[in-house]
Amino acid sequence: MATQQKVHKNILVISGDGIGPEVTRWGREVLQAIAQKYEHDFHFEEGLMGHVAIEATGNPLPDETLQKAQQSDAILFGAIGHPKYDQDPHLPVRPEQGLLRIRKELGLYANLRPIKLFDELLAASSIRPEVLQGADILFFRELTGDVYFGEKKKAEDGSWASDLMIYHRYEVERIARKAFEAARKRRRKLCSVDKANVLESSRLWRAVVQRLSADYPDVECTHMFVDNAAMQLIRDPRQFDVIVTANLFGDILTDEASQIAGSMGMLASASIGDGTGLYEPIHGSAPDIAGKGIANPLASILSVALMLQIGFGLQEEADAVIRAVDQTLKAGYRTLDIADKHTPNHMIVGTDAMGQQVIQRL
Ligand code: IPM
Ligand code: MG
């Protein structure tokens, strides 16, 4: 500890909707505990985004929040979404617009989603333990292109609607480079997932990745169609090291892959570009359990580990967080989503008790 530099960081906390505030609280507490233990100086600001921001200002991403985001060193984000909008798909102002806009404005084109099972959670997954054991995948999901940001059109009479799936060469190149570089530091395998047998944008994607692979002769680069990848992930997840894929495919595949980590409640992600990064659980606002105090705070806490590691370069601190989570699980503490009915010595706890347990072990 004494050899480490004291760092000063400004962190914007955007708790958002649903279970966002309940779980993000613990991400922040963990940051505070780390600051204390390693004598860093973390300064926190708060910002509104999503449904809560619409209610307060009419805007899912108020200018004030965006400004604070641009000035911060990192953003800890919870979740957004509200059932009200899902039941009425025609509402013009929607919480998700806030998240999509902040990704675009901050240039967060790479979404890293590490999928790794804590041994203690082998039984929590719906996949057989012998298939899962040892699986360790790092997803690079492209985050600012694709149908998410392509032109949207609809007929005035409501008879058709369309979303443009578009990729530019530079968009594929920059995410693929990040993925190749990450693969270099891991098991040197990169699988690029596309739908090049059908889609022009995927054929561009594949050609760009293929060309780049010449710069990384030490990385084994393969290509897989997305339908096959969806199946292979469940059939034999250990075959994958790093996966790079487009925005929509990555959105879907990483929800699926969360089962490899036991539960959505465990998965953290880092959205990065060339400046400030945003760190968030991959789970959504989970309105069905919001306010009940039963949500799993570990994805938020593990997002903090990613912030420490990727955002601030504080590897030792990041490892300490992961170790604390691991020890909490080893001690038998479980939120409902990762509870295993067949193991009698598990203690089912709520959000706050789980957060406390992790803090204690820091
Ligand atoms: C995610 C979420 C978002 C997405 C939604 C909330 C817009 O599902 O981060 O994976 O589709 O990107
Ligand atoms: Mg998603």
Side-chain angles (χ1 to χ4, degrees), residues 88-346:
D88 187 354
H90 295 295
L91 282 175
V93 180
R94 312 176 60 80
E96 290 78 9
Q97 290 161 348
L99 180 58
L100 297 185
R101 181 152 167 250
I102 203 170
R103 286 174 179 169
K104 196 71 172 179
E105 296 275 353
L106 297 181
L108 307 175
Y109 61 83
N111 183 220
L112 279 65
R113 297 188 163 180
I115 313 277
K116 196 171 172 190
L117 183 77
F118 285 89
D119 285 342
E120 296 73 36
L121 296 185
L122 263 180
S125 173
S126 51
I127 307 173
R128 284 209 313 276
E130 62 272 26
V131 175
L132 283 184
Q133 197 139 36
D136 177 0
I137 308 173
L138 177 57
F139 270 90
F140 278 77
R141 166 189 174 195
E142 200 288 328
L143 204 58
T144 53
D146 207 346
V147 283
Y148 274 72
F149 294 94
E151 192 185 357
K152 296 180 184 296
K153 293 192 213 162
K154 60 181 183 216
E156 258 162 48
D157 67 359
S159 61
W160 58 266
S162 82
D163 302 272
L164 180 66
M165 182 178 268
I166 178 167
Y167 266 112
H168 296 90
R169 177 184 300 276
Y170 77 92
E171 293 175 302
V172 184
E173 249 167 42
R174 62 187 181 181
I175 180 101
R177 277 213 189 277
K178 280 213 188 303
F180 272 113
E181 263 143 38
R184 255 190 182 157
K185 296 189 196 123
R186 292 172 46 104
R187 302 192 303 279
R188 295 168 186 267
K189 278 170 58 175
L190 177 65
C191 179
S192 172
V193 172
D194 63 32
K195 187 72 184 170
N197 50 347
V198 177
L199 302 172
E200 265 323 322
S201 54
S202 277
R203 285 193 272 273
L204 174 88
W205 180 283
R206 189 175 282 221
V208 172
V209 174
Q210 194 56 43
R211 179 138 4 90
L212 267 190
S213 69
D215 294 350
Y216 302 89
D218 50 326
V219 176
E220 180 202 327
C221 175
T222 56
H223 302 268
M224 195 180 276
F225 295 138
V226 62
D227 46 352
N228 185 23
M231 185 268 285
Q232 296 293 343
L233 268 174
I234 301 296
R235 194 189 69 86
D236 176 22
R238 272 177 303 228
Q239 71 185 285
F240 297 107
D241 177 15
V242 179
I243 295 180
V244 64
T245 191
N247 202 344
L248 182 62
F249 299 155
D251 179 44
I252 299 167
L253 291 180
T254 52
D255 263 31
E256 181 194 4
S258 73
Q259 280 309 300
I260 298 168
S263 158
M264 287 270 276
M266 295 299 298
L267 279 200
S269 88
S271 300
I272 58 171
D274 301 316
T276 300
L278 182 147
Y279 301 83
E280 59 168 316
I282 90 154
H283 64 66
S285 56
D288 53 325
I289 60 164
K292 294 189 181 157
I294 57 173
N296 185 348
L298 294 181
S300 179
I301 291 171
L302 291 169
S303 297
V304 159
L306 287 177
M307 180 189 294
L308 292 166
Q309 182 203 359
I310 300 172
F312 303 160
L314 300 173
Q315 186 66 50
E316 190 183 325
E317 287 81 340
D319 289 342
V321 173
I322 294 170
R323 210 163 39 239
V325 168
D326 193 40
Q327 287 167 357
T328 302
L329 293 171
K330 283 209 167 79
Y333 294 95
R334 297 287 186 277
T335 43
L336 269 178
D337 60 309
I338 47 174
D340 167 22
K341 291 162 221 77
H342 310 294
T343 314
N345 62 345
H346 280 172

Side-chain angles (χ1 to χ4, degrees), residues 38-67:
Y38 292 87
E39 296 176 356
H40 297 312
D41 177 22
F42 294 158
H43 173 77
F44 296 93
E45 291 250 22
E46 307 224 354
L48 289 177
M49 189 166 94
H51 170 68
V52 285
I54 297 175
E55 296 282 283
T57 70
N59 184 347
L61 177 61
D63 291 344
E64 194 193 332
T65 304
L66 184 57
Q67 237 166 42

